[in-house]
Amino acid sequence: MKVAVFDTHKFDRSFLEVANSNKHELRFLEVRLDQHSAVLAKGCTAVCCFANDKADAATLKILSDLGVQLIALRSAGYNHVDIRRATELKMSVVRVPEYSPYAVAEFAVGLLLTLNRKIHKAHNRVHDMNFSLDGLVGFDLHGKTVGVVGTGKIGKAFCQIMRGFGCHVLAMDNSPDKIWAEKNEIQYVSREVLFAKSDVLSLHVPLTPTTRHTIDDAAFQLMKKEVILINTGRGALIDTPALIRSLKKHAIGGACLDVYEEEAGVFFSDLSENGITDDVLARLLTFPNVLITSHQAFLTREALGNISETTIANITKFEEHRDLSGFQVKP
Ligand code: NAI
């Protein structure tokens, strides 16, 4: 099958080539998918997208007119695809529901340790021959309360790591797994209790109309003044201007952000020669207690291998009219 693979980078292309093993004809494109670039899929039956490609109604119509029948996502999240429109256009959408929850959970912990213990600052200081410890004081995680929003695959892995650190773990989820929680000594609580009691708060829900801006001004008002907020879910789980207002008032301890509401077009790109035009992101970058990474929580060899293998298997199954349940996204 001919597949237009959008938003490809050095880091994922080789994994896709190995998994494909010349089975399908992959057309690697560095450009992100949107209504302007969709035409590059001409002649292909499938397009393969990543987290910042935009498969909205207009883009899907162009793809459908070109004869594209399959949207194969190299991600678990599918908030960037208009699933209803794809179904109306009789296009199938498949995703990689699980590739390595550990990759994301471990990275979230890495961000937390870095920001709390100021490891990034210490690293830079030492390379500048500045061996002073002033300004590098953090806090013990042992004995602290960690709140987790969403106890799916990634949230569960994160909870279990934090239990290993000796933290009390509180959680909320609209489908709580009570047996798992009891076994791991994790307590499900209300949103209000979770926000009020947590010293660390980590977001692991998908982005949906319900979860959009889970963290807004009202949520910040409930939180402890020292709370560290971690977002490796999706940027729009946080109302970014509300976060900036809280940071300016010193109403929270800090934020670790691997995702950002307006990351498309910025994250994954080298803009070091041009700078950025997004004033909100620029403001975020000025806070000493904000750590930002460019949507890299998934970036391990294991995750990239699993993403590539599942994506190629999804395309093959579609071509051979085989069962795609568990991988297909429906409205
Ligand atoms: P999952 O589907 O296993 O878990 C999601 C959990 O959220 C489920 O337990 C579900 O019941 C819960 N949930 C959904 N809506 C809710 C609501 N309104 N209120 C409370 N709970 C709700 O998903 P998984 O694999 O754990 O991934 C979570 C998210 O992490 C993905 O949707 C994706 O956006 C993000 N992600 C980020 C990556 C990164 O590199 N930064 C990589 C992979 C995923």
Side-chain angles (χ1 to χ4, degrees):
M1 185 177 282
K2 283 190 185 172
V3 187
V5 191
F6 283 88
D7 202 13
T8 49
H9 302 266
K10 259 193 233 155
F11 67 73
D12 60 359
R13 186 173 167 154
S14 57
F15 286 91
L16 280 163
E17 281 171 336
V18 169
N20 186 45
S21 178
N22 293 324
K23 226 176 281 152
H24 302 286
E25 198 179 307
L26 303 184
R27 183 185 296 168
F28 288 105
L29 301 161
E30 284 179 20
V31 67
R32 277 181 300 125
L33 173 68
D34 62 18
Q35 54 181 304
H36 306 293
S37 62
V39 67
L40 296 171
K42 194 173 175 192
C44 294
T45 312
V47 297
C48 183
C49 308
F50 201 41
N52 284 323
D53 287 310
K54 195 172 172 191
D56 57 7
T59 308
L60 291 170
K61 176 73 173 73
I62 297 166
L63 292 174
S64 171
D65 289 347
L66 290 171
V68 171
Q69 297 166 21
L70 176 69
I71 312 286
L73 305 177
R74 309 198 294 285
S75 58
Y78 49 88
N79 53 285
H80 52 307
V81 184
D82 187 334
I83 302 295
R84 200 166 292 280
R85 188 71 187 120
T87 308
E88 282 165 10
L89 291 165
K90 304 205 177 347
M91 298 166 106
S92 297
V93 182
V94 287
R95 66 179 183 128
V96 185
E98 175 173 352
Y99 41 86
S100 171
Y102 313 107
V104 183
E106 288 170 11
F107 192 79
V109 178
L111 287 176
L112 170 60
L113 288 172
T114 306
L115 187 74
N116 172 28
R117 304 300 300 272
K118 303 175 175 62
I119 296 168
H120 54 314
K121 291 188 184 177
H123 176 81
N124 289 339
R125 264 190 204 186
V126 165
H127 280 269
D128 202 24
M129 304 301 143
N130 175 355
F131 299 94
S132 152
L133 297 184
D134 288 335
L136 299 184
V137 180
F139 61 83
D140 281 13
L141 285 167
H142 184 91
K144 295 294 184 301
T145 299
V146 174
V148 178
V149 181
T151 54
K153 293 174 283 295
I154 298 170
K156 278 186 174 129
F158 180 81
C159 287
Q160 284 167 223
I161 299 172
M162 296 323 296
R163 286 290 299 136
F165 273 74
C167 297
H168 305 293
V169 179
L170 303 179
M172 66 174 248
D173 194 296
N174 60 3
S175 306
D177 183 343
K178 292 189 178 145
I179 295 170
W180 164 83
E182 201 177 317
K183 194 171 148 213
N184 291 284
E185 299 178 314
I186 286 153
Q187 220 187 323
Y188 281 109
V189 293
S190 68
R191 169 192 156 98
E192 288 70 25
V193 171
L194 190 85
F195 290 171
K197 291 213 164 161
S198 298
D199 299 297
V200 172
L201 193 60
S202 195
L203 309 180
H204 300 288
V205 279
L207 177 62
T208 65
T210 325
T211 61
R212 191 184 162 74
H213 290 183
T214 295
I215 307 297
D216 56 8
D217 282 310
F220 281 118
Q221 274 182 8
L222 295 171
M223 291 179 201
K224 286 189 183 176
K225 213 169 164 286
E226 309 77 24
V227 68
I228 290 186
L229 177 64
I230 309 167
N231 189 8
T232 57
R234 283 291 181 266
L237 295 176
I238 299 178
D239 174 354
T240 314
L243 169 62
I244 290 175
R245 283 191 286 278
S246 287
L247 288 160
K248 282 167 85 173
K249 286 188 285 189
H250 303 285
I252 63 166
C256 304
L257 310 173
D258 184 51
V259 284
Y260 164 61
E261 262 185 300
E262 304 298 333
E263 69 181 49
V266 179
F267 285 14
F268 306 149
S269 305
D270 179 359
L271 302 176
S272 56
E273 303 229 334
N274 305 320
I276 53 170
T277 53
D278 181 336
D279 292 344
V280 176
L281 179 58
R283 183 67 180 97
L284 270 182
L285 287 165
T286 66
F287 292 102
N289 51 346
V290 173
L291 193 60
I292 301 180
T293 49
S294 181
H295 202 141
Q296 74 169 86
F298 70 98
L299 203 62
T300 65
R301 285 192 292 273
E302 291 78 1
L304 287 168
N306 291 338
I307 290 172
S308 301
E309 277 161 31
T310 305
T311 300
I312 297 299
N314 280 344
I315 295 168
T316 306
K317 282 187 205 162
F318 177 82
E319 188 178 39
E320 295 172 355
H321 307 287
R322 279 158 54 200
D323 183 23
L324 278 164
S325 49
F327 300 92
Q328 195 158 8
V329 190
K330 294 190 176 157

